[in-house]
Amino acid sequence: MTSELPNFPCHRDPAASGSVEKSEATCDCCGKSRGLIYSGVTYCREEPTLCPWCIAEGSAADKYDATFFDAEFVDDEGNSIDLPEKFDREVFGRTIGFATYNPIGWWVHCGVPAEYVTRNEPYEMVFECRQCHKQHVIYDVD
């Protein structure tokens, strides 16, 4: 039986983005089979099979010293910006990954990381501010 996905405040729809797939595989982190497994890239030394719940709660990042994006925070012009450490963990360690061609700039607006909404093929990645709901496109050119 497939469980309902946990909430990812910075990734609107992991199922629609192709970041999860149906599977009876057991998560290496929690040892449970929940009917869905993460299908994206995990940046760590091992190649664990992970469930979305362990990513959302941060236990996968903790256990494997893992992140799920090769990214940096950027402003409207694509300039790299620094944010408090709590946002690094929220976005790169507790947000389920999605496919990109290259390392991306994760858009920041109103002082917080935006939510990834969708990809308009082939290169436009749409983000939305979690505060004011303005949308912004990041180009992921291969």
Side-chain angles (χ1 to χ4, degrees):
M1 174 178 226
T2 301
S3 302
E4 186 176 324
L5 278 172
N7 180 42
F8 292 95
C10 292
H11 187 158
R12 184 166 293 173
D13 193 344
S17 69
S19 299
V20 295
E21 59 187 39
K22 289 183 180 184
S23 173
E24 294 307 316
T26 300
C27 175
D28 292 331
C29 188
C30 68
K32 296 179 183 176
S33 176
R34 300 186 193 216
L36 293 172
I37 210 77
Y38 173 57
S39 59
V41 176
T42 302
Y43 296 93
C44 65
R45 290 183 182 256
E46 300 178 42
E47 292 183 27
T49 297
L50 299 171
C51 72
W53 294 266
C54 287
I55 295 171
E57 66 188 23
S59 57
D62 293 342
K63 183 173 183 173
Y64 296 100
D65 192 25
T67 61
F68 303 96
F69 292 98
D70 187 6
E72 64 181 359
F73 294 124
V74 297
D75 61 17
D76 289 354
E77 289 79 40
N79 298 312
S80 179
I81 59 174
D82 290 325
L83 289 179
E85 181 66 31
K86 70 178 184 173
F87 291 121
D88 281 355
R89 179 157 171 79
E90 176 186 17
V91 174
F92 307 128
R94 294 184 66 180
T95 297
I96 202 163
F98 51 85
T100 62
Y101 295 115
N102 295 293
I104 64 167
W106 194 284
W107 186 53
V108 173
H109 197 261
C110 295
V112 297
E115 176 185 36
Y116 171 73
V117 177
T118 191
R119 179 183 201 95
N120 293 330
E121 293 294 344
Y123 304 116
E124 296 179 349
M125 298 187 327
V126 180
F127 288 81
E128 183 174 294
C129 179
R130 294 187 288 159
Q131 304 291 318
C132 73
H133 305 289
K134 175 182 177 184
Q135 289 196 340
H136 183 74
V137 172
I138 300 287
Y139 291 93
D140 180 27
V141 181
D142 61 354

